Amino acid sequence: MATKAKPKAAVKKAAPKKEIIQETSIAQHETTMQEESMQEEPIVTETVIKKESENSNWEIKDRRYYLKNNLSPLTLTLASKHSRRYPLMYFDKELGYERELRYATNQISPFVDEQKGHVTLAHIVFRNGVLMVPKEKQNLQKLLSIYHPLKDKIYAEQDDVKQAVSELDDIELEIDALNLARELDIDHAEAILRTELGSKVSSMTTKELKRDLMLFAKNNPALFINLANDENVQLRSFGIKAAEANIIKLSQDQKTFSWAANNKKLMTVPFEEHPYSALARWFKTDEGMEVYSSIEKKL
């Protein structure tokens, strides 16, 4: 009887030890899974941030495209799918190869390898040199603004910021030209207008000269400022006035200037140079300064 009781007592003591081992292994497994899941979270977050940063520079808005060189045909159809005659490919620097482009109205991407299922193709048509694309057509906007190989060759996207800066520069230049025109004396004004109007200036009144000078400054501000700052303008005008007064004369072949009274040669015009521009520079030489003084007394 006593010998049979010992095995039973041994079995009862061994059973709790097995349960403890199993509980410990389960707890260690759960801890390992928690650590692995915690390590994976930063990777997912980093991927999302990268995708958001890639599209951060793209603005959702209506866009306007126009044909370059002031072209405005009734209609112009731009290539909207790849063909031998009009290859429509984009080299993807990140992937390292060319990708085929295609405009499909029922797809969100202009890349053929990202389009799925049935596609609905459409034409890209400029009318009177302009194409307006609403913000809802993001695939067409990205095709035209980023990927199309003819961008900035045949057409361009209107940049409102650049256009505003350009218009501001033009306005400021016009203001500078008008202020300069208002400050010029009448002789300088006459010299500038003579380069544009010729001998007609001689018969104009002071008011007419001032009016035409202001109009010239308004319509061609950059040219006006260049002429106003050109030290030879007044000398050219002086030479033209001397010729009009028949003090000096220019030969018919426009190669030589001479005295009108005795045909004595004054100077030879260099090859392919404007006669009165050459005369203006010649007036700055020692010989030319003497002739200038003599003409000034006769005018």
Side-chain angles (χ1 to χ4, degrees), residues 4-241:
K4 291 180 181 179
K6 288 181 181 179
K8 291 180 179 180
V11 171
K12 289 181 179 179
K13 290 180 181 179
K17 187 181 290 185
K18 186 176 182 181
E19 292 176 357
I20 293 171
I21 293 171
Q22 289 177 348
E23 291 176 357
T24 303
S25 62
I26 292 171
Q28 289 177 349
H29 180 66
E30 290 178 349
T31 303
T32 303
M33 290 179 65
Q34 289 178 356
E35 290 177 354
E36 290 176 354
S37 64
M38 290 177 65
Q39 292 176 357
E40 291 176 356
E41 289 180 0
I43 298 173
V44 175
T45 305
E46 185 177 344
T47 304
V48 172
I49 292 172
K50 184 178 180 181
K51 287 183 178 179
E52 290 178 353
S53 64
E54 287 175 354
N55 298 324
S56 60
N57 295 329
W58 180 258
E59 183 181 356
I60 306 296
K61 64 177 183 179
D62 297 335
R63 297 176 187 270
R64 181 179 186 272
Y65 305 89
Y66 61 93
L67 298 179
K68 300 189 69 176
N69 301 321
N70 295 321
L71 295 177
S72 57
L74 190 61
T75 60
L76 185 142
T77 303
L78 202 67
S80 58
K81 65 177 181 179
H82 179 72
S83 64
R84 289 184 178 180
R85 186 176 181 183
Y86 299 108
L88 202 59
M89 305 291 289
Y90 175 77
F91 180 75
D92 194 319
K93 294 181 180 179
E94 294 183 359
L95 298 178
Y97 58 83
E98 284 190 319
R99 304 174 69 187
E100 184 178 340
L101 297 165
R102 178 174 61 189
Y103 173 46
T105 57
N106 64 334
Q107 300 290 327
I108 61 174
S109 172
F111 291 108
V112 173
D113 56 19
E114 292 181 355
Q115 297 177 357
K116 299 178 181 179
H118 175 74
V119 296
T120 305
L121 302 180
H123 294 295
I124 303 174
V125 182
F126 284 77
R127 301 186 185 281
N128 296 317
V130 176
L131 173 61
M132 300 294 298
V133 182
K135 60 181 179 293
E136 291 79 12
K137 296 184 177 181
Q138 286 297 296
N139 58 340
L140 179 56
Q141 284 192 358
K142 290 182 179 180
L143 173 60
L144 293 172
S145 297
I146 304 174
Y147 306 120
H148 205 289
L150 295 180
K151 182 178 183 289
D152 295 326
K153 295 178 182 178
I154 290 180
Y155 74 94
E157 180 181 352
Q158 179 174 306
D159 190 325
D160 294 333
V161 175
K162 288 183 179 180
Q163 185 176 359
V165 171
S166 178
E167 289 176 354
L168 179 61
D169 291 341
D170 291 342
I171 292 171
E172 290 178 346
L173 184 64
E174 183 179 324
I175 291 172
D176 292 341
L178 289 171
N179 287 335
L180 181 58
R182 187 171 58 181
E183 295 173 359
L184 289 180
D185 59 67
I186 195 64
D187 291 335
H188 200 167
E190 181 182 343
I192 292 173
L193 285 178
R194 195 176 292 277
T195 63
E196 294 297 308
L197 304 178
S199 58
K200 179 183 175 182
V201 174
S202 302
S203 60
M204 295 174 66
T205 64
T206 301
K207 291 291 185 181
E208 289 174 333
L209 283 172
K210 280 291 186 181
R211 179 203 62 199
D212 286 8
L213 187 72
M214 296 294 282
L215 290 174
F216 180 35
K218 179 180 176 62
N219 296 329
N220 298 283
L223 176 59
F224 174 81
I225 291 174
N226 288 335
L227 290 174
N229 294 327
D230 186 353
E231 59 181 8
N232 289 331
V233 167
Q234 288 183 291
L235 291 176
R236 281 204 301 269
S237 177
F238 181 83
I240 294 172
K241 287 170 67 176

